[in-house]
Amino acid sequence: MKKTINIVLFLLAVFCLQSVFVSQAQSVPFSDPNKTKIFITVTTSDIYQIVKEIGGSKVNVQMIIQPLGCPSNYDITPKVVQRAENSNLVLSHKWETWIGRLKVQAGERGVLYKQAQTEGNWMIPYIHIRAAEEIKDMLIYIDIENKKYYTDNFNAYVFSINFASDEIRRQLEGAYGKKVIANEKIKDFLEWLGFDVIATYGKPEDLTAKKLAHLINEGKKRGVRMVVDNLQAGISTGKELAENIKAAHCVISNFPIGDSYINTLKDNGKKLLKAMQ
């Protein structure tokens, strides 16, 4: 009988000890000691800058097309295919039709392909912020446990953009109503600053002699004092036009260059201000 009681007591002790271990294990948050950064491949510097700012130390991000290149047409290289194969997320714009070919070559197993849905010119601050919010939500969806980290980074980024935006608008108060001719890709950005874009032109190869003559005539007739080129479409496309109508010539970037969208935004503002003066 005594032996039976001892066995019962022993089993009870083991059960209680096991319950303590289970309780302690459940109270400790799940932690993966081998967890690595989220590998993200993006198409343009627009997306790259946002992912870098919001993802911070939680992401490893690389872009496919350098900011001076044209992202609408791209020849996929084996290096890009390999990078996509090893990514958790491949993020592009809606208008990059060659992403379909990348999916075929790199495959979709274990890779999430997403297209940013934000419309408009991402160089415009309020549109850039919309895109940043969209990408923030994507990162949270993939990595929910770091939601606060991504949200805090997003809020800090928005504050910095709004501060820079207000500063540039103050510096370019004199731009309001000034008549300019510009590359079609930067028309919306210039109008956001207050310029009156009276005519636009496209790629250098599309600027025929007839089109150039028409733009020169319009520029002279309407008192245009500045021609603005898009860096990604060529730095001298509008130079001849500017010389013919005796207007200033300026080149700005439609994509972030260097290491910061905000710095590119400020640099564009400085170039426009200098051309105005």
Side-chain angles (χ1 to χ4, degrees):
M1 183 69 176
K2 185 176 180 181
K3 185 176 181 181
T4 301
I5 293 171
N6 287 338
I7 292 172
V8 172
L9 291 172
F10 174 76
L11 291 173
L12 284 171
V14 170
F15 177 78
C16 290
L17 189 60
Q18 189 178 37
S19 297
V20 170
F21 287 153
V22 171
S23 175
Q24 288 179 342
Q26 290 175 341
S27 66
V28 176
F30 174 76
S31 176
D32 178 6
N34 297 316
K35 184 175 181 180
T36 57
K37 296 180 179 182
I38 302 171
F39 270 63
I40 302 175
T41 297
V42 303
T43 52
T44 67
S45 61
D46 262 334
I47 305 175
Y48 174 82
Q49 293 296 341
I50 293 174
V51 172
K52 186 187 70 168
E53 291 288 342
I54 298 174
S57 62
K58 307 297 181 185
V59 301
N60 180 317
V61 57
Q62 288 187 14
M63 69 178 140
I64 296 175
I65 303 169
Q66 295 302 310
L68 297 185
C70 177
S72 57
N73 297 307
Y74 180 74
D75 293 324
I76 300 166
T77 65
K79 187 176 180 180
V80 169
V81 173
Q82 184 180 23
R83 171 71 192 190
E85 288 174 339
N86 296 325
S87 296
N88 303 112
L89 172 66
V90 175
L91 185 52
S92 64
H93 299 276
K94 290 198 298 183
W95 37 264
E96 291 157 334
T97 55
W98 52 268
I99 286 294
R101 300 199 308 273
L102 180 62
K103 279 186 183 181
V104 172
Q105 294 184 38
E108 298 183 55
R109 189 172 182 177
V111 183
L112 179 64
Y113 289 84
K114 295 287 288 183
Q115 291 182 332
Q117 300 299 306
T118 302
E119 302 280 0
N121 188 335
W122 288 22
M123 185 54 63
I124 300 172
Y126 71 86
I127 295 178
H128 191 90
I129 289 171
R130 286 180 194 165
E133 185 170 21
E134 182 185 356
I135 291 171
K136 179 258 297 179
D137 290 342
M138 286 185 193
L139 293 175
I140 291 173
Y141 174 78
I142 295 170
D143 186 20
I144 187 65
E145 66 183 60
N146 285 308
K147 177 179 179 179
K148 184 178 184 305
Y149 177 82
Y150 299 132
T151 302
D152 289 347
N153 285 353
F154 168 74
N155 290 335
Y157 191 43
V158 170
F159 178 84
S160 298
I161 291 172
N162 284 333
F163 185 84
S165 172
D166 290 343
E167 181 184 2
I168 292 166
R169 295 289 288 269
R170 283 195 300 271
Q171 291 173 347
L172 288 167
E173 284 179 351
Y176 185 79
K178 297 287 185 183
K179 291 179 172 54
V180 301
I181 296 175
N183 178 273
E184 61 190 10
K185 297 295 185 182
I186 54 176
K187 176 178 183 288
D188 291 347
F189 176 72
L190 293 171
E191 289 178 338
W192 170 75
L193 286 168
F195 289 101
D196 179 11
V197 183
I198 62 109
T200 63
Y201 52 90
K203 298 176 182 177
E205 58 268 28
D206 296 332
L207 190 57
T208 62
K210 184 177 180 181
K211 173 70 171 176
L212 181 61
H214 170 73
L215 291 174
I216 291 171
N217 182 58
E218 283 295 300
K220 289 179 177 178
K221 182 172 67 176
R222 302 186 63 177
V224 166
R225 287 292 169 261
M226 183 159 59
V227 176
V228 189
D229 265 329
N230 169 19
L231 180 62
Q232 283 70 34
I235 62 173
S236 60
T237 310
K239 192 172 183 181
E240 183 181 353
L241 173 59
E243 288 172 351
N244 275 279
I245 60 177
K246 294 181 171 52
H249 178 241
C250 181
V251 182
I252 64 173
S253 180
N254 200 37
F255 286 90
I257 54 178
D259 202 37
S260 167
Y261 158 74
I262 291 175
N263 286 347
T264 304
L265 185 65
K266 290 179 178 179
D267 189 55
N268 282 345
K270 288 177 183 176
K271 287 177 178 177
L272 290 165
L273 182 62
K274 183 178 179 180
M276 283 171 58
Q277 294 171 342

